[in-house]
Amino acid sequence: MKKTIITITSIVACAFASFAADAACTNACCASKPAKQINTLADEEVCANLLERFSASVSVGYESEYVFRGLKVQGASINPEVDFAYDLGSGFAVYAGVWGNMPVKSDTENEMDIYTGITYDFQNFTFDLGYLAYLYNEDTENSHEIKFAVSYDTVDLLGEFNVSPTVAFYHDFSLDSYTLEAGLTYSAPVTKWIADRNWGTIDLAAVYGWNSVKSLSAGRDGYTYIALSADAVVALNDYCKFSVGVRYAYAHDRPAWYRDCDETVWFGTSMTVGF
């Protein structure tokens, strides 16, 4: 979160000068340092304290394929997202957002995902308990699931080479399905290595998952999948980032109803504005 820092010129110098100058000089000195005017509601101290704990972002992305948990769901699509978060203090924070999938082809259905949750930071661990709703505008049945995830920031151990792990559990109440995922993420500061600049990174991610949906094998529940991604991320300014990258997914022993290929390779790009 970008915090507004109000810099007040030291009045110590003015007070010190009063010992060596007369009262008129002292009054003139202090008068030259007026207090900050309250011109907007955000200037009020109570509002400033609230706003500095609040963060938000808006992004629009394009994906040449829509892949979910190793399976290609649809083709090319536009993905808008709005995300909000608020720091409650003492390690707790709450978040909420809306993500959409708008297929480029008009004959396929739209999807809107609504999510919310609470996180807790303890040392380098982050615990995340959340709720997700998957909403569709046509024939697909809406579904609802909860998630619990734990991630660990390895920056204190590995410095710039902090490959950080995450494990997550999902339960979809509507489909009565379970998902387990284990992942690794790493953001390589390439422009810092090359030119001692901090505006460009290569963000890498790898996920291995298991879903309880019945697979192709007779009598066997569940299929496994992997997903890999690499994105070049450029910070255009303090508030705006642009990214472009490539993705790969493979589903082993995919569900019986799934008729597409085991493997999918696609690319994606996005623009994010946030504070």
Side-chain angles (χ1 to χ4, degrees), residues 6-22:
I6 304 175
T7 304
I8 302 176
T9 305
S10 175
I11 63 173
V12 175
C14 185
F16 178 78
S18 65
F19 291 96
D22 59 20

Side-chain angles (χ1 to χ4, degrees), residues 186-266:
Y186 173 59
S187 183
V190 290
T191 57
K192 182 177 181 181
W193 294 341
I194 296 172
D196 197 25
R197 303 290 192 270
N198 293 319
W199 51 261
T201 63
I202 298 294
D203 291 358
L204 306 173
V207 173
Y208 177 83
W210 172 84
N211 187 280
S212 66
V213 175
K214 288 186 180 296
S215 66
L216 285 173
S217 299
R220 178 179 175 183
D221 288 341
Y223 73 97
T224 59
Y225 59 91
I226 61 172
L228 308 173
S229 66
D231 287 272
V233 182
V234 176
L236 302 179
N237 54 41
D238 289 340
Y239 308 100
C240 184
K241 290 184 177 182
F242 172 78
S243 69
V244 60
V246 62
R247 298 89 162 86
Y248 168 82
Y250 171 75
H252 174 67
D253 207 8
R254 62 190 187 277
W257 52 263
Y258 188 73
R259 293 291 183 265
D260 217 315
C261 299
D262 294 334
E263 296 180 286
T264 308
V265 179
W266 74 105

